[in-house]
Amino acid sequence: MFSKEESAKLRKEFWTSFGKSFPRKWLLYNTKIKGVAFKFQADRKRASVCLDFEHPEEVANELLYDQLLSLKKILESEYLPEVIFDDNFELDNRKIIRRIHVLHEKKFSIHNKNTWRDCYEFFVETMTQFELFYYEYEDFIKQAI
């Protein structure tokens, strides 16, 4: 068991190490669509790469998510076969959002440094594919709103 301080220190070290090991400017919040952002997620039990829909207007969230849903077959067949579409994803703060994500399937814990390297490689491979897909279909996605 880790204290809050030890856990916070490990989380900071995890993300700092990732940034230093793979120095690259990721798309993340720069999608140019309000409330739509790519995210790396890692905690004590799992890691994932996500595309979250948190537009302040629910109608916009729905339209954007549906636009991506219309591209699901392409995303699965050409970029990320293991992608998950979730229109009712609950965040830790209990907020419900729409999320498209890929889970890291190998054993992982942010508290176990021996699992970090596999996670970093998963992050790079998966986010790269997500970004390639997004750049290819960006104009089509933006047509939703």
Side-chain angles (χ1 to χ4, degrees):
M1 212 56 183
F2 293 92
S3 71
K4 261 188 166 176
E5 294 79 19
E6 291 170 323
S7 183
K9 183 180 174 195
L10 271 172
R11 282 193 309 275
K12 182 178 180 181
E13 185 180 344
F14 173 84
W15 292 112
T16 302
S17 176
F18 175 59
K20 288 180 179 177
S21 299
F22 299 94
R24 180 172 174 243
K25 184 163 173 59
W26 300 98
L27 178 59
L28 302 178
Y29 294 93
N30 197 23
T31 61
K32 298 182 181 91
I33 302 174
K34 186 176 184 176
V36 176
F38 286 95
K39 297 177 183 172
F40 294 108
Q41 183 276 325
D43 60 29
R44 292 180 300 139
K45 296 179 182 172
R46 65 183 185 268
S48 59
V49 174
C50 315
L51 178 58
D52 288 353
F53 299 83
E54 298 183 76
H55 195 285
E57 296 176 27
E58 184 54 34
V59 173
N61 274 330
E62 190 173 334
L63 291 170
L64 287 163
Y65 184 81
D66 287 349
Q67 195 79 331
L68 266 290
L69 204 52
S70 73
L71 297 169
K72 182 177 181 180
K73 294 266 189 245
I74 294 169
L75 181 57
E76 288 174 330
S77 65
E78 296 179 26
Y79 298 91
L80 298 165
E82 58 284 338
V83 71
I84 299 165
F85 282 71
D86 192 340
D87 64 353
N88 198 29
F89 187 87
E90 185 174 348
L91 298 173
D92 291 340
N93 66 3
R94 312 294 258 185
K95 181 179 180 182
I96 303 295
I97 65 166
R98 288 174 172 83
R99 173 176 275 184
I100 300 171
H101 58 118
V102 179
L103 296 173
H104 177 48
E105 295 297 332
K106 294 184 180 176
K107 186 175 179 175
F108 172 79
S109 173
I110 203 163
H111 291 159
N112 182 350
K113 290 183 181 183
N114 294 328
T115 65
W116 289 7
R117 187 70 188 177
D118 281 341
C119 182
Y120 293 162
E121 290 172 3
F122 162 77
F123 279 169
V124 170
E125 291 168 18
T126 306
M127 186 61 83
T128 298
Q129 288 300 304
F130 239 149
E131 287 180 338
L132 288 171
F133 165 77
Y134 183 80
Y135 287 130
E136 181 70 25
Y137 294 96
E138 181 177 8
D139 291 339
F140 177 76
I141 296 165
K142 288 178 180 178
Q143 288 176 4
I145 54 173

